Amino acid sequence: MNAIIDKAMLKRFVEGSILPVMLLLIWYFLSKARIIDALTFPSPSDVLNGFLKVWKEGLLAENLLISIIRVSKGFLIGASVGYVIGIMIGMSRIAEKMISPVFNAVRQVPIPAFAPLLVLVSIGEPSRVLFIAIGACYPVALNTVEGIRSIRKEYFEVGNVFRFGRIRRFLKIILPSSFPSTLTGLRIGLSVSWLLVVAAEIFISSGGGIGDMMWACRETSNIDLVIVCIVTIALVGFTMNYLMQKLEIIFSKWRLTR
Amino acid sequence: MNNRGALEIRNVRKTYSGKDKDIHVLEDINLSINPGEFVSIIGLSGCGKTTLLRHIVGLEAEYEGDILLDGKRLNGPSLDRGIVFQDHRLFPWLTVEKNIALGIIGKTEKEKKEIVDSHIELVGLNGFGKNYPYQLSGGMSQRAAIARALVNQPKILLLDEPLGALDALTRMYMHRELERIWKKENITMIMVTHDVEEALYLSDKIVVMSAKPGRIQKVISVPLSRPRDRAGHDFADMKESVLEEFMLHTEHHFSFAI
């Protein structure tokens, strides 16, 4: 590893940690001074103890795994459908005219509004996965269309000179040049999926998962565990986004041209 | 090898129908270019020189009259004509190697690699095959674009102001390189330019075009021996006679003979 990069990363890490550490300290002292009542709001040590308890019991890992698998399924389905829709709208005028109005109308409906309908499909897992898939679909589709729209016409002329057919035009021009934009869509889609998995587990409950666990803890007034769940959700979401951003940077390197 | 790449342009005209009146972009273009000749088309902006080139390469398909390559009327692009654009139009998402390989079809991977390597060698880009376009200078990008246009061994290479975006010194260096490649490949080259010196340095024949409507004003053959000496007396004389076509020559009130 390069020492300079490590140093820069360390600096960023320290700078980013200042605010959360400060908040943690304030919370700690407020609890310690009994300004916050321990009965209504737990202290940091309560939360830590709660975390250790559910971690040892395996409850947290188990529910986290359920959520991650659920998100993976929903995201994969949604992103694939979104990509196909994006490619169709981006490549074909007829498809654009036919699909765009419906797509843009459906897009205006908040995802939770689909929940009552999804329960009709099934009361269990498929409806939760579908709930996530709907949310993951839009950003991927929109960004793919945007990526295709922004391809310079000049590149297609080069393709014409070399007598590219439809397949080569897609594989050599459209797919690679729109991919960084699609990747942005995938990153946003994954974030949305992670937000929605919690909502899905609350709306369509008792299927396990981190959201379900959080809701159950709320019902039993284990606020310390609710906070454990919230922090876990935040950290997992943060990590996902971070990794996707890294991937985006790697795949957009060639964009330095213009 | 010298019986290929003969271009015959007969009574070509191109009209865009405008709102009130038609715009005559090209009118009565008659020109014959011998195999292996280097021809420059020179003229002020808007004289239709690029349009003519685009017709020859086949990117503009509709025209009146005939453009014949070795006796066959041209209709759309074909691999027997290569083109280098002013903006190199390398695909930024592909390495130099892969850009050069774009036009190759129906070859095994091994043959493909050999063709690419030999063309990298031809344009003097050894060692840069794995680089991306954003890592290349303007001159190097144009070298790569020339290699890409030559991989299919076209009969004619068309050059649309290929050196227009380069600095003066790099441009002079590229003139030598172009001449070397032209001799080595032994093909017909047609270059659009508005640099009189460039045209004189490289061409067997200079086609001077005038605007509104775009037509050929004069065809000047350049009988100077190669390699040409820009500082030579004959070169300067020829330059004056070309500039005369644009009313840009120096007025000599007296002439002395020694």
Side-chain angles (χ1 to χ4, degrees):
Chain A
M1 262 303 200
N2 195 321
I4 298 165
I5 291 171
D6 277 353
K7 221 174 178 179
M9 275 171 71
L10 192 73
K11 189 164 174 270
R12 275 195 66 149
F13 180 75
V14 170
E15 282 171 352
S17 307
I18 293 172
L19 189 61
V21 168
M22 264 169 58
L23 288 174
L24 204 65
L25 284 173
I26 292 169
W27 176 21
Y28 176 78
F29 285 113
L30 288 178
S31 305
K32 187 104 180 161
R34 298 193 182 272
I35 295 169
I36 301 176
D37 182 12
L39 282 175
T40 39
F41 201 82
S43 70
S45 53
D46 292 339
V47 172
L48 186 67
N49 286 333
F51 167 75
L52 290 173
K53 193 174 136 249
V54 285
W55 184 253
K56 268 184 207 141
E57 284 172 359
L59 208 61
L60 186 64
E62 186 192 312
N63 283 301
L64 192 57
L65 190 68
I66 291 173
S67 288
I68 288 175
I69 291 171
R70 192 170 281 151
V71 162
S72 308
K73 284 183 194 161
F75 173 69
L76 261 162
I77 295 169
S80 310
V81 172
Y83 189 65
V84 171
I85 292 175
I87 290 287
M88 288 202 299
I89 294 178
M91 280 184 71
S92 149
R93 301 243 161 217
I94 301 163
E96 195 209 326
K97 281 180 190 145
M98 286 174 68
I99 301 171
S100 275
V102 180
F103 182 78
N104 283 324
V106 177
R107 197 157 64 88
Q108 308 308 319
V109 182
I111 316 288
F114 285 109
L117 215 61
L118 286 174
V119 178
L120 292 179
V121 177
S122 91
I123 309 174
E125 194 61 14
S127 57
R128 289 188 205 100
V129 170
L130 214 56
F131 187 82
I132 297 163
I134 295 170
C137 164
Y138 303 132
V140 178
L142 292 172
N143 279 282
T144 301
V145 172
E146 191 49 45
I148 295 173
R149 293 263 161 81
S150 60
I151 302 173
R152 286 172 64 201
K153 298 286 160 287
E154 286 85 350
Y155 294 138
F156 290 116
E157 271 189 9
V158 173
N160 288 343
V161 170
F162 287 127
R163 313 220 53 183
F164 280 11
R166 272 173 179 276
I167 295 166
R168 278 210 292 167
R169 191 162 65 207
F170 178 71
L171 291 178
K172 301 275 183 187
I173 303 177
I174 295 170
L175 182 72
S177 62
S178 65
F179 189 64
S181 190
T182 299
L183 210 54
T184 305
L186 289 172
R187 176 171 58 81
I188 299 168
L190 190 60
S191 288
V192 171
S193 300
W194 186 242
L195 297 177
L196 288 177
V197 72
V198 178
E201 286 164 1
I202 292 171
F203 283 129
I204 310 155
S205 62
S206 57
I210 194 86
D212 197 28
M213 178 182 165
M214 184 173 78
W215 209 243
C217 293
R218 189 202 73 105
E219 310 257 273
T220 54
S221 298
N222 286 315
I223 306 299
D224 52 342
L225 294 183
V226 170
I227 293 172
V228 168
C229 289
I230 290 174
V231 173
T232 309
I233 291 165
L235 287 178
V236 172
F238 177 84
T239 311
M240 279 177 169
N241 198 51
Y242 180 81
L243 293 177
M244 286 299 280
Q245 267 176 346
K246 287 279 160 212
L247 214 61
E248 244 181 295
I249 291 167
I250 293 168
F251 278 97
S252 325
K253 237 184 186 161
W254 59 261
R255 279 192 170 178
L256 292 169
T257 340
R258 303 185 304 114
Chain B
M1 285 287 279
N2 240 9
N3 56 354
R4 44 176 234 167
L7 194 75
E8 193 70 40
I9 302 174
R10 287 191 204 140
N11 307 317
V12 164
R13 56 173 63 217
K14 170 84 177 179
T15 316
Y16 290 117
S17 0
K19 252 186 196 160
D20 324 311
K21 53 173 187 176
D22 293 347
I23 302 155
H24 302 284
V25 189
L26 294 173
E27 197 152 283
D28 288 326
I29 304 289
N30 282 288
L31 183 66
S32 56
I33 291 167
N34 300 321
E37 243 182 344
F38 198 117
V39 176
S40 290
I41 304 173
I42 191 164
L44 303 172
S45 316
C47 70
K49 54 191 192 304
T50 293
T51 308
L52 181 59
L53 204 71
R54 288 173 62 85
H55 275 294
I56 299 171
V57 79
L59 284 172
E60 309 267 344
E62 299 284 308
Y63 64 91
E64 287 173 63
D66 295 304
I67 302 177
L68 307 163
L69 177 60
D70 294 334
K72 265 169 63 187
R73 191 177 193 273
L74 296 183
N75 199 1
S78 148
L79 297 181
D80 58 17
R81 277 156 285 143
I83 186 164
V84 177
F85 298 96
Q86 178 173 5
D87 49 334
H88 55 76
R89 296 194 193 179
L90 296 172
F91 290 177
W93 52 90
L94 295 178
T95 59
V96 168
E97 265 173 9
K98 291 200 172 133
N99 262 296
I100 295 174
L102 265 181
I104 306 173
I105 38 170
K107 303 271 193 230
T108 64
E109 281 304 309
K110 194 168 159 261
E111 289 170 324
K112 221 175 182 176
K113 196 181 175 321
E114 275 167 16
I115 296 172
V116 169
D117 286 348
S118 69
H119 281 84
I120 285 181
E121 170 101 37
L122 173 73
V123 297
L125 276 179
N126 306 45
F128 288 95
K130 301 264 188 274
N131 286 61
Y132 282 88
Y134 74 89
Q135 297 167 313
L136 302 182
S137 68
M140 286 158 87
S141 299
Q142 277 310 9
R143 284 167 190 267
I146 292 167
R148 179 174 72 177
L150 288 172
V151 281
N152 291 306
Q153 295 191 289
K155 295 175 177 177
I156 297 186
L157 181 66
L158 301 155
L159 304 139
D160 186 6
E161 296 184 42
L163 312 176
L166 305 181
D167 65 85
L169 286 173
T170 309
R171 198 186 306 179
M172 277 155 83
Y173 192 63
M174 286 299 287
H175 291 157
R176 279 215 322 242
E177 288 291 279
L178 257 180
E179 190 178 34
R180 178 181 63 78
I181 292 165
W182 168 66
K183 276 184 181 156
K184 180 127 190 285
E185 295 288 292
N186 194 22
I187 62 171
T188 312
M189 286 197 184
I190 304 173
M191 176 174 72
V192 160
T193 181
H194 42 225
D195 182 341
V196 174
E197 207 177 287
E198 178 170 286
L200 267 177
Y201 186 84
L202 287 165
S203 315
D204 297 317
K205 207 146 82 184
I206 297 177
V207 179
V208 179
M209 286 184 73
S210 61
K212 287 173 200 168
R215 52 158 60 111
I216 292 175
Q217 185 176 325
K218 197 172 183 183
V219 179
I220 302 166
S221 57
V222 187
L224 304 175
S225 63
R226 293 171 192 269
R228 288 172 182 163
D229 175 10
R230 287 171 216 270
H233 188 260
D234 297 341
F235 195 91
D237 270 359
M238 287 245 40
K239 192 171 168 182
E240 280 292 290
S241 67
V242 176
L243 287 174
E244 236 166 85
E245 297 298 322
F246 298 99
M247 311 292 180
L248 278 171
H249 59 293
T250 336
E251 295 278 352
H252 295 288
H253 296 289
F254 303 100
S255 54
F256 300 95
I258 301 167

